Amino acid sequence: MTRHQLFLVARQTYMNRMKTFGFWSVVLAPLLILLVIFGITFAIDATKSDEKPTVAIVNDTSLMTYLKKNKSVGAQYTNIKSSAKAKQALRNDKIDGYLTSQHERYHLTMAKDAESLSEDTLQTTINQYYMVNQAAKLHLDTKQLQNLIQPPSFNSTVYSSNGKTSAGGVSSNAANSMLAGGLGIFIFIFLTAYVGMIAQEIANEKSSRIMEILLAVTSAGVQFFGKLLGVAGLAITHGLVYVVAGVIGYVFVPDNKYVDMAKELLTGVDVGFAVMTGLLAIVGIFLYMILTAIISAMINDLSQVQQAVSPITYMAMIGYILTFILEGQPHNMLINTLSYVPFVSQTLMPARLGLQYANMTDAFIALVLEVVVLVFLARYGLRVYKKNVLTYSDGNITKAALLSLKGLFSKKTIDE
Amino acid sequence: MIELKNLTKEFGDKVAVDNMNMQLEAGHVVGLIGQNGAGKTTTFRMMLDFIKPTHGTITWDNHDITNRDRQNIGFLPEERGLYQKLSIEQQVVYFAALHGMSKSDAKQKLKHWMTRLDVVGKVTDKVQSLSKGNAQKVQLIATVITEPSLLILDEPFTGLDPVNAQLMMNEILRLKHNGAMIIFSSHNMSGVEKLSDELLMLKHGQTVLSGGLSDIRESFGRSEIYLESPVEDAELLAIPGVVSVEKEGDGRHLKLSDDRVGKEVFRIVARDGYVPVFAQTPPTLDEIFRREVAGGVEND
Ligand SMILES: Nc1ncnc2c1ncn2[C@@H]1O[C@H](COP(=O)(O)OP(=O)(O)OP(=O)(O)O)[C@@H](O)[C@H]1O
Ligand SMILES: [Mg+2]
């Protein structure tokens, strides 16, 4: 019976939210933002002006021939006899700029409003031109020249403490920490969305006095866990929407450099890391949900939702912000300790793991700690919830929260 | 059968309910009356296991009330509440489901109830669009649609106009005839009088009166007379044992110190051989309530 009621409460919570605009706007907003960013970059690429600047080469036809063969600079070239004439042509807007060469010194003058050209590429091209010329003077053949300019090969691998050397070395490292960073944002968005939702759900039932009807036929436990299950279902649905969107994107979005970048990044992530991070995140989110449910039970009316939710959001922010100052501090005691602490570890530990500042054992310890606190909160939180959900105190909820905290640790069962 | 034994609830050093004893049988209605703060809602809350009694027990057929039993309880809380955003149907179907009723059953029954209680609107209307009275009817439907075997109604008549209060009363009587155990609290004495088989009067948590309605009334003796007769007030007041004479409607209302005084009153008003109305009755519930609870001092 109770299990059936649990299911009913969860389903009711789930279905009602699914039908709201609010839920879908939270789910779809990030996708829309991505789509807009994608669209804008695409549009910018597509509408980029194809005009190439015209650069006059002053009195150096061999350089001009070399530059013309090499398309990478993205400019058109003409030959002009003297720099005075070139200056004149520039003043009359006939050309966008001119390049002088004297005794191996090259100088480029460009009009202010000229179409841009890549100076770096121009310089590289001139370097090559110069080198080829010098080689010719020294009578080196192409092979010899190549040997001369080829850099020696350099590779690195990282020995991570889980015993394996990660194949991609630097690239896997970067991939993991980028994933951890991205996940940090993701978890944070998730947390704020669902923390708010739980608070609303419970506060609504409590303030409209529906709670009494519900508790008459069910029990505090059914309500507490049913609500949590329903919202957890929503969070899971939310995550699945992104997975599906990701797969669709992966398959259907035409190849461009951003998609390639993302694909490259994802192939660099190792599976163990991804699974551990996912678990830390999911348990972390559940932790926050339970905490919110407990605190929301103290709310008397909907206007207090914000007051109840903001401390929780700040707490979530701690873990998130610390990930930014983490880089370059592998041995910071405070950060290292915090990365094991539930409510913070869900973002901090993956970030440390990604940067190889921590190993899988550390992450596992953090996960176990999270689970222990989760079980504790669920059991003892139910008591506090039960006590508070039918009590309408007109005082502020901070006082109620402190009182309940006391109750959380006192051994005897609480009733009124 | 529901049995409350030596039920006591203390909040700090305040005794909200003091040593209450009560039995509730199938097909019986118990009315709980008492001033604001007398302990009525607290009693219901203990029955629903919202709060634990300080002492005493509550049993259902001699066992503690289980979660399964709770599905058979219909509860109308003192402060009404519905999901504003849901439609009438979604609302009622959800509550019914928690009571173990199937969706199709609930939908079907809801239609009957809507017509029976004369609810204005469609089942798909949002609760927030309903008038207060209609919302209360929907609330009642949500409470009784599953025909629970125990009904706990905390002030079911407040906020209802006389027509709707009558509708509510008829429904309570119907449920009683179907064999439900019903306990309700009210400040509406005529309602209590019409509905209750038994009543329990509370004063600061203490039970001042309990038992069958007529027994209680009779226990006060036939100390009231309603009279329509031309005899002067002064003459009536001159009879020893007549405490007061007040105008009431077309006639007058006399209070007696002893029901035997009635004979003397009758002798005087009937001396011409005719009296249009003479009724010697026990005090009304309203009267008893005022005597025992509110203005108790004045008659002591
Ligand atoms: N949670 C609580 N904490 C402390 N005192 C309480 C609590 N709930 C009720 N009381 C006190 O217990 C007493 C009985 O209250 P209760 O609500 O049962 O009265 P009631 O008979 O339902 O009154 P009303 O007719 O106004 O609804 C009151 O004095 C009230 O102040
Ligand atoms: Mg009350």
Side-chain angles (χ1 to χ4, degrees):
Chain A
M1 278 300 171
T2 322
R3 196 169 311 149
H4 182 62
Q5 286 184 331
L6 191 71
F7 165 76
L8 286 172
V9 174
R11 189 183 64 182
Q12 178 80 1
T13 312
Y14 183 84
M15 291 311 286
N16 279 346
R17 282 283 164 173
M18 281 294 271
K19 287 185 212 146
T20 59
F21 173 76
F23 175 71
W24 287 106
S25 63
V26 167
V27 172
L28 296 179
L31 288 182
L32 275 178
I33 291 170
L34 263 184
L35 216 66
V36 167
I37 292 175
F38 193 79
I40 289 175
T41 41
F42 193 78
I44 288 176
D45 271 357
T47 55
K48 205 158 58 185
S49 139
D50 278 339
E51 294 263 312
K52 289 178 177 172
T54 311
V55 177
I57 311 295
V58 178
N59 207 14
D60 192 338
T61 39
S62 74
L63 176 61
M64 191 176 82
T65 326
Y66 191 84
L67 284 171
K68 270 189 173 167
K69 262 192 280 175
N70 193 315
K71 299 252 161 46
S72 57
V73 180
Q76 289 174 309
Y77 307 99
T78 67
N79 190 28
I80 288 185
K81 286 275 155 51
S82 72
S83 47
K85 277 190 180 153
K87 217 177 258 176
Q88 175 99 43
L90 186 59
R91 207 175 299 133
N92 296 344
D93 260 352
K94 292 246 165 60
I95 55 172
D96 294 305
Y98 60 92
L99 181 71
T100 57
S101 61
Q102 246 167 5
H103 313 297
E104 273 100 48
R105 291 171 63 176
Y106 297 87
H107 184 85
L108 176 69
T109 311
M110 291 296 290
K112 213 172 171 185
D113 60 349
E115 296 287 336
S116 72
L117 62 84
S118 162
E119 281 182 33
D120 286 345
T121 330
L122 183 61
Q123 192 182 353
T124 321
T125 318
I126 290 172
N127 277 353
Q128 283 167 5
Y129 169 72
Y130 177 74
M131 230 178 307
V132 170
N133 275 355
Q134 293 302 314
K137 274 189 198 156
L138 294 169
H139 306 293
L140 297 175
D141 61 23
T142 349
K143 187 103 199 297
Q144 285 168 316
L145 179 63
Q146 248 171 29
N147 283 343
L148 193 64
I149 58 176
Q150 181 150 53
S153 113
F154 173 78
N155 260 325
S156 76
T157 55
V158 175
Y159 182 80
S160 75
S161 330
N162 61 14
K164 283 182 290 185
T165 45
S166 41
V170 174
S171 96
S172 161
N173 204 343
N176 285 356
S177 62
M178 277 198 66
L179 185 73
L183 213 73
I185 303 176
F186 194 68
I187 293 172
F188 187 66
I189 295 176
F190 246 67
L191 278 182
T192 40
Y194 289 99
V195 157
M197 194 182 286
I198 288 216
Q200 279 248 328
E201 284 282 335
I202 293 174
N204 179 30
E205 280 173 3
K206 192 181 166 189
S207 64
S208 61
R209 315 281 165 144
I210 298 168
M211 205 53 111
E212 295 192 12
I213 303 175
L214 296 175
L215 288 181
V217 58
T218 62
S219 62
V222 166
Q223 288 302 319
F224 184 69
F225 292 116
K227 275 263 123 74
L228 284 171
L229 275 180
V231 177
L234 288 169
I236 289 166
T237 309
H238 189 164
L240 283 179
V241 168
Y242 290 169
V243 170
V244 170
V247 170
I248 291 176
Y250 192 85
V251 176
F252 289 106
V253 172
D255 274 358
N256 75 12
K257 58 182 176 205
Y258 301 106
V259 176
D260 288 344
M261 245 164 61
K263 282 182 186 173
E264 206 171 304
L265 205 67
L266 284 176
T267 43
V269 174
D270 47 15
V271 179
F273 171 79
V275 169
M276 182 53 84
T277 302
L279 285 176
L280 280 167
I282 289 173
V283 180
I285 290 174
F286 286 168
L287 261 183
Y288 271 91
M289 285 185 179
I290 295 186
L291 180 70
T292 311
I294 296 169
I295 291 186
S296 308
M298 300 165 195
I299 295 176
N300 291 323
D301 62 89
L302 284 172
S303 66
Q304 288 176 324
V305 168
Q306 209 41 48
Q307 195 191 346
V309 159
S310 46
I312 303 176
T313 321
Y314 293 144
M315 198 153 100
M317 232 189 271
I318 296 175
Y320 179 52
I321 288 173
L322 284 177
T323 56
F324 290 117
I325 55 171
L326 175 66
E327 181 117 32
Q329 305 206 53
H331 301 299
N332 184 314
M333 266 297 288
L334 181 68
I335 293 182
N336 288 6
T337 314
L338 282 176
S339 70
Y340 294 99
V341 176
F343 291 107
V344 180
S345 57
Q346 78 278 354
T347 44
L348 203 49
M349 186 49 93
R352 286 188 67 218
L353 200 60
L355 290 169
Q356 316 255 346
Y357 293 173
N359 59 33
M360 284 304 242
T361 318
D362 297 321
F364 189 71
I365 293 172
L367 183 64
V368 169
L369 286 175
E370 268 192 335
V371 172
V372 168
V373 172
L374 186 79
V375 172
F376 173 83
L377 257 196
R379 285 199 43 190
Y380 289 80
L382 175 59
R383 254 195 211 177
V384 180
Y385 175 86
K386 190 174 177 192
K387 174 183 157 42
N388 280 301
V389 80
L390 287 175
T391 312
Y392 301 92
S393 57
D394 32 40
N396 60 3
I397 50 176
T398 324
K399 213 169 95 192
L402 288 176
L403 277 175
S404 301
L405 211 63
K406 228 173 74 191
L408 192 65
F409 296 105
S410 80
K411 273 277 168 282
K412 74 179 196 355
T413 357
I414 302 154
D415 72 79
E416 284 301 46
Chain B
M1 185 177 74
I2 302 284
E3 202 166 12
L4 313 190
K5 266 197 200 140
N6 307 326
L7 200 63
T8 299
K9 178 67 193 178
E10 295 165 8
F11 293 109
D13 46 11
K14 173 169 195 125
V15 185
V17 175
D18 193 358
N19 200 26
M20 179 189 282
N21 286 284
M22 188 188 78
Q23 285 181 1
L24 190 50
E25 280 158 47
H28 271 241
V29 179
V30 171
L32 209 55
I33 51 181
Q35 282 174 299
N36 294 127
K40 304 179 294 289
T41 302
T42 304
T43 306
F44 294 152
R45 291 181 150 226
M46 285 189 281
M47 293 177 75
L48 291 161
D49 196 29
F50 292 173
I51 52 178
K52 294 255 180 290
T54 318
H55 306 290
T57 53
I58 302 171
T59 51
W60 185 324
D61 291 340
N62 298 319
H63 61 76
D64 286 346
I65 297 180
T66 62
N67 276 341
R68 184 182 272 266
D69 292 329
R70 292 154 70 85
Q71 285 203 315
N72 269 322
I73 301 179
F75 173 51
L76 190 70
E78 185 171 24
E79 295 197 50
R80 313 291 147 75
L82 294 167
Y83 293 103
Q84 297 298 316
K85 296 267 157 60
L86 293 191
S87 71
I88 296 177
E89 186 174 87
Q90 288 168 327
Q91 181 90 79
V92 171
V93 165
Y94 178 50
F95 286 159
L98 289 175
H99 280 93
M101 185 182 243
S102 79
K103 192 171 174 172
S104 53
D105 272 5
K107 279 187 175 176
Q108 188 130 35
K109 288 236 167 80
L110 174 61
K111 287 207 191 91
H112 287 296
W113 278 96
M114 293 272 287
T115 15
R116 184 146 69 205
L117 287 190
D118 206 13
V119 181
V120 185
K122 299 188 293 290
V123 289
T124 49
D125 285 349
K126 288 247 165 74
V127 167
Q128 60 191 1
S129 70
L130 296 177
S131 77
K132 188 174 162 222
N134 278 316
Q136 288 214 43
K137 289 181 188 172
V138 171
Q139 185 109 43
L140 177 71
I141 295 175
T143 309
V144 299
I145 192 167
T146 55
E147 307 263 332
S149 38
L150 171 60
L151 272 169
I152 299 177
L153 312 170
D154 202 349
E155 300 186 14
F157 305 114
T158 37
L160 293 180
D161 65 31
V163 176
N164 284 326
Q166 190 57 50
L167 268 176
M168 176 75 93
M169 258 178 235
N170 295 343
E171 285 313 319
I172 294 175
L173 285 174
R174 202 187 57 83
L175 290 156
K176 164 192 148 112
H177 290 308
N178 290 354
M181 301 179 275
I182 301 174
I183 182 166
F184 75 106
S185 72
S186 180
H187 297 290
N188 174 345
M189 293 305 151
S190 72
V192 175
E193 236 164 331
K194 278 182 210 149
L195 287 177
S196 313
D197 299 301
E198 261 156 78
L199 61 91
L200 207 113
M201 194 181 285
L202 290 176
K203 182 181 184 179
H204 303 314
Q206 283 171 333
T207 310
V208 288
L209 283 173
S210 72
L213 178 64
S214 48
D215 293 346
I216 288 181
R217 286 186 61 190
E218 293 295 344
S219 77
F220 281 82
R222 298 195 164 248
S223 58
E224 315 265 319
I225 293 174
Y226 177 75
L227 187 67
E228 286 181 26
S229 148
V231 180
E232 295 293 322
D233 279 5
E235 198 176 345
L236 291 170
L237 274 167
I239 305 168
V242 173
V243 179
S244 66
V245 178
E246 269 164 39
K247 193 161 166 44
E248 184 183 297
D250 289 338
R252 277 164 298 170
H253 188 104
L254 279 65
K255 282 186 186 155
L256 314 178
S257 60
D258 188 321
D259 51 6
R260 279 166 300 186
V261 179
K263 281 195 174 148
E264 181 58 18
V265 177
F266 184 79
R267 204 183 53 77
I268 290 181
V269 296
R271 65 190 162 207
D272 300 337
Y274 175 72
V275 54
V277 183
F278 178 96
Q280 186 172 2
T281 58
T284 60
L285 193 55
D286 206 22
E287 190 54 44
I288 296 174
F289 182 71
R290 243 176 288 156
R291 240 192 253 181
E292 287 298 308
V293 177
V297 230
E298 125 196 346
N299 268 14
D300 275 354

